[in-house]
Amino acid sequence: MPRAAAPGGPPPAPVAVHAASDLDDVTALVGPRRPDATVCFCLGYRIGSAENRRLRGPARRERVRELCAEDPPPGVIASLGGEPVAWAAIHPRADTAFARSRSIPHVDDLDVWSLWCLRVRPGYRGTGLTAPLIAGAVRFALDRGAPAVEAYPLDNRGETVDTTMAYVGTRAMFERAGFQVAAATSSRLDGFPRVLMRLTPGDES
């Protein structure tokens, strides 16, 4: 296993971002700790709420196995030396809970893709993985015909965000990746407002 860089330093090796088509890789990054869990695997926004509540334990893992076999799979994974170290959930908005969201608006009728979860494995946080992870997720979507990619991060204005809520990212993080604020939302996490940010082909850095 590659060793993590010092916090705040660069990744210890070139980062490879690829489709999340391997169940074991997805499990290593967003799988629950308990085998009977009814949470995580990053399914909350990806499938219907009734199905999400119903799935638990092995059935939840099997549902993720099905998603990994689909085209497109449920997101992308960043690897260092073949070791999965970071995850991004990205999918056409029309097939996610964001299609029905009352708190996050639709800017227009474009069939945009949503990027809603970023997770870096403990031991690798603060090593510069988020930038290549977002860039890889954007490439993944645009290569599959996405007319634009949306994200819904916190506008925390530099204030500290609780780690349990940091999965949506921050406005500054996405601005550095070339996203621009497209709309306000009525959604809040950890006391901070979320903004709808968008990147269209040609805007990516």
Side-chain angles (χ1 to χ4, degrees):
M1 176 176 175
R3 295 165 61 179
V15 180
V17 180
H18 52 88
S21 55
D22 186 285
L23 176 62
D24 290 338
D25 286 353
V26 176
T27 301
L29 293 168
V30 292
R33 295 181 179 179
R34 293 186 4 249
D36 62 340
T38 60
V39 295
C40 215
F41 267 126
C42 210
L43 289 177
Y45 291 107
R46 178 62 183 81
I47 61 177
S49 58
E51 182 184 14
N52 186 45
R53 289 192 300 269
R54 184 175 69 250
L55 290 176
R56 64 180 61 237
R60 197 168 183 83
R61 178 180 167 89
E62 287 307 305
R63 183 67 175 96
V64 177
R65 185 191 302 277
E66 293 174 0
L67 294 176
C68 288
E70 292 182 0
D71 185 16
V76 298
I77 286 174
S79 296
L80 291 172
E83 181 75 14
V85 294
W87 153 268
I90 185 166
H91 198 73
R93 178 169 175 163
D95 295 331
T96 71
F98 297 107
R100 303 173 296 279
S101 176
R102 296 181 179 179
S103 60
I104 296 181
H106 290 265
V107 174
D108 48 39
D109 294 330
L110 282 181
D111 190 17
V112 300
W113 285 45
S114 294
L115 170 55
W116 70 87
C117 178
L118 305 170
R119 176 173 171 79
V120 177
R121 204 168 183 174
Y124 293 90
R125 293 168 186 168
T127 64
L129 285 168
T130 304
L133 178 65
I134 293 175
V138 169
R139 287 194 303 270
F140 173 81
L142 298 184
D143 287 349
R144 287 161 178 78
V149 177
E150 287 185 349
Y152 319 110
L154 300 176
D155 191 1
N156 63 320
R157 302 180 185 277
E159 295 184 39
T160 301
V161 178
D162 186 278
T163 54
T164 60
M165 299 298 179
Y167 71 93
V168 298
T170 65
R171 173 176 174 169
M173 183 185 298
F174 281 95
E175 284 178 337
R176 289 192 294 269
F179 284 69
Q180 298 180 357
V181 174
T185 81
S186 59
S187 177
R188 298 181 69 89
L189 285 177
D190 197 30
F192 299 108
R194 296 171 74 181
V195 288
L196 188 156
M197 302 189 72
R198 182 178 281 193
L199 185 149
T200 54
D203 291 342
E204 63 271 23
S205 56

